Amino acid sequence: MTSQPRQARAVERREQLLDAAARVLSQRGYADAQMEEIAAAADTSKGGLYFHFSTKEALVAAVIGRAGDILRRRVDRAMSDAGPDPVARADAALATLIDTLSAHRSLARVLVSETLAGSAPARERIAAIEDEFVDIVANELRLALDAGQLRNLDAPLDPDLTARAWVGMVQSTLSAWAAGRVSTPIERIYPELRRLLLRSAGVPLESASRELATRE
């Protein structure tokens, strides 16, 4: 009985440390963020921080890993709620990426900016998350192509390249938003991107407009 509250407190404390680390990393960048500074932001001692994470690299890996887990859970749920239509599922995946990261601005700055450029392992982990979501979108585009949904195309669509372009456009826009270089309100960002994305994949414009009106 006593171990359960202790475990719950340990999990809560770890989450607090990861939140503090994400904030400091997003503000200072990998090279300048110090463990002492992160410990202070989490209202704990340096020793307390090292008890949970033996190195800054381990701490950064945990921050990235948690961000990836949050995104996966929310995207999976949104795609399931979107039903069987592959275009709607791809749409839901990208919309959820923006919705989730806009609610966690420090995580957005960590994942989609150059905040962690000083750490090659961190960049590799972020790239792996990016590749995972590119694969998710590409798979839905293949299904839509096979179902004849992508009709307005001048040339055959490459699902992998198109998915990479879609995710890259979302990342680039989110990076600029997280850095304060985009003044457009976050709730207006994806509807604007969505029009460009769907048109680029040959989704009939009347269908795209109808679905967008439903979402809005």
Side-chain angles (χ1 to χ4, degrees):
M1 294 291 292
T2 58
S3 64
Q4 291 181 347
R6 189 179 302 122
Q7 290 173 353
R9 286 195 299 271
V11 170
E12 182 180 1
R13 189 57 179 149
R14 188 175 188 275
E15 291 297 299
Q16 292 171 347
L17 294 173
L18 293 176
D19 283 339
R23 290 196 305 272
V24 173
L25 287 165
S26 71
Q27 295 165 1
R28 305 275 288 157
Y30 176 82
D32 292 333
Q34 302 298 318
M35 293 292 272
E36 295 92 336
E37 188 177 7
I38 294 171
D43 195 24
T44 191
S45 66
K46 184 178 175 181
L49 180 59
Y50 275 112
F51 175 79
H52 290 271
F53 305 101
S54 59
T55 64
K56 182 166 70 170
E57 196 65 64
L59 176 57
V60 171
V63 169
I64 296 170
R66 184 183 65 156
D69 290 342
I70 291 171
L71 289 173
R72 286 184 201 95
R73 287 195 301 269
R74 297 190 180 186
V75 166
D76 285 347
R77 184 165 58 247
M79 292 178 70
S80 177
D81 291 344
D85 181 83
V87 172
R89 286 168 58 83
D91 178 20
L94 294 178
T96 302
L97 284 178
I98 287 185
D99 289 345
T100 300
L101 292 177
S102 68
H104 301 273
R105 197 176 189 122
S106 60
L107 287 184
R109 293 195 65 184
V110 166
L111 287 180
V112 299
S113 71
E114 293 303 310
T115 296
L116 300 182
S119 170
R123 295 304 303 168
E124 290 172 2
R125 291 185 180 96
I126 292 172
I129 294 174
E130 176 188 339
D131 290 345
E132 181 179 348
F133 285 100
V134 167
D135 288 343
I136 288 172
V137 174
N139 183 61
E140 299 303 327
L141 288 176
R142 286 190 196 93
L143 294 174
L145 196 60
D146 292 343
Q149 291 179 265
L150 311 183
R151 301 191 298 273
N152 297 343
L153 292 169
D154 296 330
L157 179 139
D158 182 327
D160 294 297
L161 185 58
T162 301
R164 179 75 61 184
W166 281 20
V167 173
M169 187 180 294
V170 169
Q171 283 182 311
S172 176
T173 305
L174 267 178
S175 178
W177 172 81
R181 301 198 313 274
V182 170
S183 59
T184 303
I186 190 66
E187 64 271 14
R188 285 177 47 200
I189 286 179
Y190 188 63
E192 293 297 326
L193 288 179
R194 185 179 187 272
R195 292 183 181 93
L196 298 173
L197 299 178
L198 294 182
R199 286 171 182 169
S200 74
V203 175
L205 295 183
E206 66 276 9
S207 173
S209 298
R210 185 166 55 251
E211 290 173 13
L212 182 58
T214 301
R215 281 183 62 93
E216 293 177 335

